[in-house]
Amino acid sequence: MSMVKLVNIKKSFGTLEVLKGIDLEIEKGEVVCVIGPSGSGKSTMLRCINNLEQITEGEIHIEDTLVVKRANNKDVEKGNSDLRNDLGMVFQNFNLFPHLTVLDNITIAPRVVKNADKTAIDQKAMNLLKMVGLVDKANEYPIRLSGGQQQRVAIARALAMDPQIMLFDEPTSALDPELVGEVLDTIKALAQEGMTMIIVTHEISFARDLADRVIFMDDGVICEEGPPEDVILNPKEERTQNFLNRIN
């Protein structure tokens, strides 16, 4: 089953064309890591999938269903936008509510958006905190947590909405090096459970070890994609080779 399908996705900010025709299909249970230099359009692509940015042109399908089709910055066809509720997103900078406890950060969206029963969602949140190794932090406030702990809370918060697809936008880029591993371990555990994931990352070794497929983006296009042993260890495109040589 196709969980995410992008057809000729273009995105411009004024005269700046950031995405220049992206075609991509993600299957159920697939883990796709997206790598590439800053400014290549990686994060913009994720934000377009999640409707945080509106595409200029193209089609987005989620779970084999059209969500939106646009041309010349106008809707051509509106699909089932409710399917975007099946997307969970984790950002670079955690985006936790500082005035809420860890437990309340996780439960607020299910209670407000889905009118979830408080007792049931509190229990679910505690189970998620156990999964990410933070059950003892339920009543703490974000300021009292390390960056790695905050990011793990952010992952638990996204999972509380029962997403079918998880989007990660450089989830470790704001962390000190010694905190990166705990977040990557949490993402690996999700992969082992079969979660469909698109991960924008600069952690090349992580992408090599975890991904079913690696995508290299540069200048708003997908330059190369394939198994990690091909794209990372034996890239065919010169742009991919130059990028990997620069960061190694």
Side-chain angles (χ1 to χ4, degrees):
M1 178 182 180
S2 173
M3 297 298 281
V4 177
K5 184 179 180 181
L6 308 181
V7 181
N8 193 34
I9 296 298
K10 298 180 181 179
K11 173 62 182 176
S12 296
F13 296 97
T15 59
L16 178 63
E17 192 177 19
V18 178
L19 299 178
K20 301 177 181 179
I22 299 292
D23 292 300
L24 178 63
E25 192 162 357
I26 312 291
E27 298 297 322
K28 184 174 177 63
E30 192 176 14
V31 178
V32 175
C33 286
V34 186
I35 63 173
S38 298
S40 58
K42 307 183 302 296
S43 295
T44 299
M45 182 179 72
L46 279 196
R47 293 174 67 84
C48 286
I49 294 171
N50 207 27
N51 203 34
L52 295 173
E53 300 287 355
Q54 196 169 54
I55 62 174
T56 305
E57 185 172 320
E59 300 176 17
I60 297 177
H61 301 250
I62 295 175
E63 296 173 53
D64 280 335
T65 302
L66 180 69
V67 172
V68 65
K69 182 176 181 179
R70 285 172 66 81
N72 299 320
N73 221 18
K74 295 179 181 178
D75 286 345
V76 174
E77 186 176 349
K78 286 192 175 182
N80 185 356
S81 60
D82 290 345
L83 281 169
R84 280 199 163 107
N85 293 332
D86 284 349
L87 300 170
M89 187 154 180
V90 176
F91 300 88
Q92 296 179 33
N93 294 314
F94 328 135
N95 292 358
L96 299 178
F97 294 112
H99 62 291
L100 297 180
T101 65
V102 163
L103 184 66
D104 287 340
N105 262 283
I106 295 171
T107 60
I108 186 170
R111 285 192 282 114
V112 172
V113 177
K114 294 187 172 182
N115 198 29
D117 175 76
K118 185 179 188 307
T119 301
I121 195 59
D122 281 356
Q123 183 58 55
K124 181 175 183 176
M126 293 303 291
N127 291 339
L128 288 169
L129 284 172
K130 183 177 181 181
M131 186 197 83
V132 300
L134 292 172
V135 72
D136 59 326
K137 303 294 185 182
N139 295 313
E140 295 282 8
Y141 288 87
I143 196 171
R144 294 178 59 85
L145 304 182
S146 70
Q149 290 171 332
Q150 290 188 57
Q151 192 61 296
R152 283 186 281 155
V153 172
I155 293 171
R157 177 181 61 182
L159 291 172
M161 292 293 285
D162 294 321
Q164 300 301 305
I165 305 149
M166 285 288 287
L167 310 175
F168 292 88
D169 187 9
E170 298 201 21
T172 61
S173 66
L175 301 179
D176 293 332
E178 67 269 20
L179 302 176
V180 167
E182 63 193 59
V183 173
L184 297 184
D185 286 344
T186 301
I187 297 173
K188 287 177 183 177
L190 285 178
Q192 290 167 358
E193 293 178 6
M195 175 66 74
T196 306
M197 294 190 282
I198 307 174
I199 308 166
V200 170
T201 183
H202 61 278
E203 301 284 347
I204 301 300
S205 60
F206 171 73
R208 182 193 64 216
D209 295 341
L210 184 72
D212 298 304
R213 184 162 36 125
V214 172
I215 290 169
F216 173 72
M217 287 183 66
D218 192 16
D219 195 28
V221 298
I222 293 175
C223 301
E224 188 166 358
E225 63 178 298
E229 57 267 26
D230 291 346
V231 177
I232 293 176
L233 300 180
N234 189 30
K236 296 178 177 61
E237 297 295 325
E238 185 177 356
R239 279 196 278 185
T240 315
Q241 295 169 8
N242 290 340
F243 170 74
L244 291 169
N245 287 337
R246 284 199 306 271
I247 62 174
N248 286 336

